[in-house]
């Protein structure tokens, strides 16, 4: 994962070079940048704007409109807890409360060791098997408090 | 000779451990003994992870299987369909499955989703072959005659939308698929995209032929990475097989297709927001008219259809519109994949003709609540759908019958709640969700949703409750009448239905 300014610039240039010919390319570029860097660094906004012949306001407006795009570095893994109705019907609110307490952070927060981000999500499409979470990209169903702790405390796999 | 064993790769199945079961099977049986096929899910999510074994008498199922069960299952003769506590018999014979009318989902759970050979063998691309021999106007006519209505929830006749796009004159037209399935309680789009993606690709190709569009986009939500990966792989295979590209199956007709990924905005399930997002902009609702059919993506005539609408087109073409039209009741023709979710014992996907009652779905299929307590309320049609009380469970699932009781069928998501549900809290959540997901373009939705949360808080805190109730009623009317799109315009429906049917929950409480 690129983690210095020069590295970021190279990633963004590559994404722009590859995608700017596509129709309506801004979301494609933002996805490519976030996939590579983990978030959209504020310094990337003017670079993307210049590359796509948009205003900085237009790029900033899109980044901030969508819940998925982040402007700050996330934890090494993200845990998303579903808070929508079907999961609420089987105890998602209690699980959300447990997640906050267990990790010691609120939603949108990052644990102090930088290991985990906690995010709310409104439906993972696993509505017959809730409560559901997605942890480091993997979906888990019928998650109890104990299972949440076991999953989030499991050592991270190094990529 | 190796035995063929099927384990689902669907996200719901893997969320319950299907990958670990597959790994355990290979490890315990030995790779040479079994031929493992990863399918979509049959939709019997209460039986996942389900292991199916091909035997002389058909596919015998075992479920739900945990990795630790695998050695015992093999010892009991799993590979020959041997007896075991987890043996459910032939999956096709299970009443839960057998009683379904699978038209759109005919192949899901049965085939390897990425095998074109499987797809062809199970009747795939028969619809496209028909369509390639037809004039565009005749394809549109067939879809119109089938009675198919928009399965995203709005239930607008698909054939009429297509006719508008066909008759529009333009240098470029588009076919877009709305796969931004954000409604809680729904997963039919995801299950189809993961379990039989070629059906969607074929449906979109037929749509392209029908209206002379050469470019298609599938707008899939980012919360569905498994579906995105499956779609991309299937599109690649369809190109390689000559089913997409400059010259579809030697017809001289062109259809290009790619996937675009959303970024976590519920509003992008609204068709004009989706088009804005596809153009790389903020997903803000457009004012209609003009209709997307006339001025849609990049200002060009555009079909916007839900995954299930498009994925149903191949069977309509293959078997004829009359076959499809024969299913259903009243003006709701064909089948709908109902998704049974929430607090339910046997949840999953049930494709049935319109007319099945809510009670049949909840009790005959669902077996009642997962908690064992009485089902008190059911929300149908997603976060903007009304809450239905037990006294209305006899209502047949039909667009008009549900409209008649002030509710909606929508995309067919059915979420059950037991008697521990606090309906005032659910009403508050409806406003809160609308506030979180509002695109902000119109005032009734942007401001009204936050006001609604405050009013319910005041009500429950006992601050002038009679006045708050009057204000909530008034606010709901303003949002319904004054919002630009269905988010602000329908968020009051769950609130109003909760007040109407569960008014006893809206009393001031201490400690709120």
């Amino acid at each position: 994962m690129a983690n210095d300014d020069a590295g970021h610039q190279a990633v963004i240039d590559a994404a722009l070079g590859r995608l700017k010919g596509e129709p309506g390319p801004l979301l494609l570029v933002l996805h490519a940048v976030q996939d590579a860097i983990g978030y959209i660094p504020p310094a990337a906004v003017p670079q993307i704007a210049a590359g796509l012949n948009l205003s900085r306001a237009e790029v900033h407006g899109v980044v901030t409109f969508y819940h998925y795009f982040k402007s700050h570095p996330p934890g090494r893994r993200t845990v998303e807890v579903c808070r929508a109705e079907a999961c609420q019907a089987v105890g998602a609110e209690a699980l959300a409360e447990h997640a906050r307490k267990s990790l010691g952070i609120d939603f949108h927060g990052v644990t102090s060791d930088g290991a985990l981000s906690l995010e709310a999500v409104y439906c993972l499409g696993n509505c017959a098997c809730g409560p559901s979470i997605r942890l480091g990209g993997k979906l888990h169903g019928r998650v109890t408090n104990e299972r949440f702790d076991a999953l989030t405390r499991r050592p991270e796999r190094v990529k | 000779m190796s035995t063929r064993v099927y384990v689902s790769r669907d996200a719901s199945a893997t969320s319950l451990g299907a990958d670990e079961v597959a790994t355990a099977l290979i490890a315990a049986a030995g790779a040479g003994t079994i031929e493992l096929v990863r399918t979509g899910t049959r939709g019997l999510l209460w039986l996942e992870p389900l292991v199916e074994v091909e035997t002389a008498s058909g596919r015998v199922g075992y479920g739900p299987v945990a990795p630790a069960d695998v050695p015992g299952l093999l010892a009991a003769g799993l590979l020959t369909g041997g007896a075991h506590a987890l043996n459910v018999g032939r999956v096709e014979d299970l009443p839960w499955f057998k009683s379904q009318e699978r038209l759109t989902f005919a192949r899901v759970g049965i085939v390897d989703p990425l095998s074109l050979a499987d797809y062809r063998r199970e009747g795939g691309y028969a619809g496209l072959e028909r369509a390639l021999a037809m004039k565009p106007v005749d394809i549109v006519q067939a879809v119109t005659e089938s009675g198919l209505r928009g399965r995203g929830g709005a239930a607008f006749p698909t054939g009429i939308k297509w006719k508008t796009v066909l008759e529009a004159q333009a240098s470029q037209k588009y076919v877009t698929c709305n796969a931004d399935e954000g409604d809680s309680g729904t997963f039919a789009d995801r299950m189809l995209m993961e379990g039989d993606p070629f059906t969607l690709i074929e449906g979109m190709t037929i749509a392209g032929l029908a209206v002379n569009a050469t470019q298609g986009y599938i707008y899939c939500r980012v919360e569905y990475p498994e579906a995105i990966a499956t779609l991309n792989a299937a599109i690649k295979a369809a190109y390689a097989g000559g089913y997409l590209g400059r010259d579809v199956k030697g017809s001289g007709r062109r259809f290009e297709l790619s996937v675009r990924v959303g970024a976590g905005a519920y509003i992008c399930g609204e068709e004009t927001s989706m088009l804005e997002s596809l153009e790389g902009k903020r997903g803000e609702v457009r004012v209609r008219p003009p209709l997307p059919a006339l001025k849609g993506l990049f200002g060009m005539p555009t079909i916007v259809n839900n995954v299930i609408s498009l994925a149903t087109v191949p069977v309509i073409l293959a078997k004829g519109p009359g076959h499809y039209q024969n299913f259903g009741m009243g003006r709701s023709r064909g089948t709908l994949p109902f998704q049974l979710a929430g607090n339910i014992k046997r949840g999953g996907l049930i494709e049935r003709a319109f007319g099945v009652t809510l009670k049949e779905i909840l009790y005959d299929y669902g077996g009642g609540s997962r908690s064992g307590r009485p089902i008190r309320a059911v929300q149908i049609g997603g976060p903007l759908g009304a809450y239905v009380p037990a006294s209305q469970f006899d209502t047949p699932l039909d667009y008009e019958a549900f409209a008649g009781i002030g509710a909606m069928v929508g995309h067919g998501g059915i979420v059950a709640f037991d008697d521990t549900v606090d309906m005032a809290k659910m009403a508050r959540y409806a406003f809160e969700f609308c506030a979180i997901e509002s695109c902000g373009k119109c005032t009734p939705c942007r401001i009204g949703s936050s006001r609604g949360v405050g009013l319910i808080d005041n009500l429950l805190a006992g601050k002038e409750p009679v006045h708050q109730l009057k204000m909530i009623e008034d606010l709901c009317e303003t949002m319904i009448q004054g919002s630009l799109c269905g988010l602000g315009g329908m968020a009051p429906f769950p609130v109003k239905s909760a007040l109407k049917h569960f008014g006893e929950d809206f009393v001031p409480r201490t400690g709120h």
Side-chain angles (χ1 to χ4, degrees):
Chain A
M1 198 174 275
N3 52 11
D4 56 274
D5 284 355
H8 288 176
Q9 274 193 17
V11 163
I12 297 159
D13 274 338
L16 287 167
R18 188 158 48 87
L19 298 165
K20 72 177 174 192
E22 294 284 333
L26 180 53
L27 261 74
L28 295 173
V29 171
L30 294 176
H31 271 298
V33 171
Q34 185 157 308
D35 285 351
I37 301 176
Y39 68 110
I40 314 288
V45 170
Q47 195 186 343
I48 293 169
L52 297 180
N53 201 21
L54 296 169
S55 71
R56 283 197 285 176
E58 282 169 304
V59 177
H60 175 80
V62 168
V63 171
T64 51
F65 181 87
Y66 293 95
H67 300 301
Y68 177 78
F69 293 131
K70 308 284 171 230
S71 295
H72 302 284
R76 289 189 292 279
R77 285 191 303 175
T78 296
V79 55
E80 297 167 289
V81 179
C82 179
R83 306 191 70 183
E85 291 92 330
C87 283
Q88 284 185 40
V90 285
E93 280 310 286
L95 180 66
E97 194 50 42
H98 173 79
R100 276 201 204 111
K101 283 200 183 124
S102 167
L103 302 177
I105 51 174
D106 207 342
F107 283 99
H108 313 303
V110 184
T111 54
S112 54
D113 61 356
L116 272 172
S117 292
L118 178 62
E119 295 290 341
V121 66
Y122 295 87
C123 198
L124 293 162
N126 198 28
C127 315
C129 313
S132 302
I133 67 167
R134 198 181 276 282
L135 172 65
K138 180 161 171 27
L139 185 63
H140 299 275
R142 293 191 204 126
V143 178
T144 58
N145 291 353
E146 295 71 36
R147 183 127 178 81
F148 182 88
D149 291 343
L151 288 166
T152 51
R153 284 171 197 165
R154 188 181 286 176
E156 300 154 46
R157 274 191 219 140
V158 180
K159 274 185 187 166
Chain B
M1 210 185 107
S2 60
T3 307
R4 196 171 289 167
V5 177
Y6 304 86
V7 177
S8 175
R9 47 176 277 167
D10 177 272
S12 270
T14 57
S15 86
L16 301 173
D19 285 344
E20 291 77 6
V21 169
T23 307
L25 272 167
I26 294 281
T33 322
I34 63 174
E35 183 199 339
L36 186 68
V37 181
R38 301 300 300 267
T39 61
T41 175
R42 297 257 198 178
L44 299 102
L45 297 176
W46 51 285
L47 273 180
E48 293 288 359
L50 175 68
V51 174
E52 290 182 57
V53 180
E54 195 151 275
T55 70
S57 57
R59 278 163 68 157
V60 174
Y62 296 81
V65 175
D69 297 325
V70 167
L73 281 166
L74 286 166
L78 172 96
L79 298 182
T80 50
H84 188 279
L86 297 178
N87 185 328
V88 297
R90 274 165 39 111
V91 176
E92 285 95 72
D93 295 339
L94 287 171
W96 206 96
F97 190 79
K98 196 175 187 175
S99 59
Q100 296 195 34
E101 291 147 305
R102 292 246 169 148
L103 301 179
T104 310
F105 281 74
R107 282 173 292 263
V108 176
I110 294 171
V111 297
D112 172 350
L114 294 177
S115 163
L116 256 179
D118 272 21
Y119 185 65
R120 296 294 320 247
R121 194 182 59 241
E122 296 291 330
Y125 277 125
L128 179 69
E129 270 161 33
R130 288 264 173 104
L132 282 170
M134 292 163 76
K135 289 203 291 267
V137 65
D138 295 328
I139 303 175
V140 173
Q141 184 59 25
V143 173
T144 305
E145 278 173 21
S146 76
L148 179 66
R149 292 162 71 182
R151 297 291 187 243
F156 187 82
T158 306
I160 292 180
K161 193 183 274 185
W162 287 23
K163 187 166 183 274
T164 308
V165 180
L166 171 62
E167 290 172 355
Q169 299 297 318
S171 55
Q172 175 71 58
K173 298 180 189 179
Y174 296 101
V175 175
T176 62
C177 171
N178 186 341
D180 196 57
E181 188 181 50
D183 288 352
S184 175
T186 65
F187 45 85
D189 296 354
R190 183 186 61 68
M191 213 180 109
L192 187 116
M193 292 187 287
E194 289 188 40
D196 192 16
F198 292 119
T199 305
L200 175 58
I201 295 168
E202 181 182 353
M204 291 186 73
T205 310
I206 295 170
L209 296 174
V211 302
N212 298 315
T214 53
Q215 175 70 51
Y217 292 105
I218 301 170
Y219 183 88
C220 186
R221 63 200 297 258
V222 71
E223 291 86 348
Y224 285 178
E226 298 86 357
I228 293 164
T230 305
L231 284 170
N232 279 324
I235 288 171
K236 203 173 162 193
Y239 268 104
Y243 290 97
L244 287 171
R246 301 191 135 272
D247 182 15
V248 174
K249 277 287 141 191
S251 65
R253 307 289 301 276
R254 178 177 192 180
F255 192 70
E256 312 279 350
L257 182 60
S258 61
V259 177
R260 288 287 182 100
V261 180
Y266 176 75
I267 191 61
C268 291
E270 194 282 334
E271 62 176 5
T272 62
S273 296
M274 186 197 83
L275 294 172
E276 289 289 300
S277 188
L278 268 174
E279 292 182 8
K281 301 174 189 160
R282 292 162 65 90
E284 286 183 7
V285 173
R286 293 179 186 171
V287 180
R288 277 171 299 200
L291 293 170
L294 296 172
K295 273 188 188 298
L297 188 61
F298 303 113
M300 295 298 178
T302 303
I303 286 182
V304 186
N305 277 144
N306 170 255
V307 172
I308 303 302
S309 310
L310 289 162
T312 300
V313 167
V315 69
I316 290 171
L317 268 289
K319 297 199 171 173
H323 178 260
Y324 190 76
Q325 211 268 346
N326 270 334
F327 293 86
M329 69 174 276
R331 289 174 49 220
S332 303
R333 309 312 311 174
T335 60
L336 190 70
F338 297 100
Q339 302 125 83
L340 185 52
N343 195 330
I344 198 82
K345 197 176 289 167
R346 295 194 297 262
L349 183 129
I350 301 150
E351 184 175 351
R352 283 286 306 264
F354 288 94
V356 59
T357 68
L358 186 52
K359 192 176 260 171
E360 287 173 72
I361 298 278
L362 291 171
Y363 294 99
D364 295 354
Y365 289 95
S369 73
R370 196 198 291 176
S371 61
R373 303 181 66 95
I375 296 179
R376 181 168 181 236
V378 173
Q379 188 178 33
I380 305 169
L384 311 176
Y387 285 99
V388 174
S391 60
Q392 294 181 331
F393 287 177
D394 280 324
T395 312
L397 286 153
D398 155 74
Y399 293 126
E400 279 67 40
F402 264 70
I405 61 164
M408 67 165 176
V409 172
H411 187 50
I414 297 174
V415 178
F417 294 83
D418 73 9
D419 62 351
T420 61
V421 67
D422 177 346
M423 293 306 295
K425 226 171 124 184
M426 298 318 294
R428 183 187 189 278
Y429 172 80
F431 278 135
E432 188 188 13
F433 180 72
C434 182
I436 294 169
E437 297 297 338
S438 175
C439 80
K441 185 153 175 170
C442 74
T443 313
C445 175
R446 185 184 67 246
I447 306 289
S449 52
S450 295
R451 281 285 284 146
V453 173
L455 290 172
I456 293 183
D457 283 345
N458 287 344
L459 171 68
L460 299 182
K463 291 181 197 159
E464 300 179 85
V466 177
H467 175 66
Q468 305 299 341
L469 276 174
K470 171 82 190 56
M471 294 284 280
I472 292 169
E473 293 279 340
D474 193 58
L475 174 68
C476 284
E477 277 320 295
T478 303
M479 289 177 69
I480 292 169
Q481 303 299 331
S483 298
L484 261 181
C485 83
L487 179 52
M490 289 160 69
F493 292 155
V495 177
K496 283 175 69 117
S497 59
L499 276 163
K500 183 175 171 192
H501 301 300
F502 307 95
E504 65 273 23
D505 287 14
F506 290 80
V507 287
R509 48 193 77 179
T510 48
H512 178 76

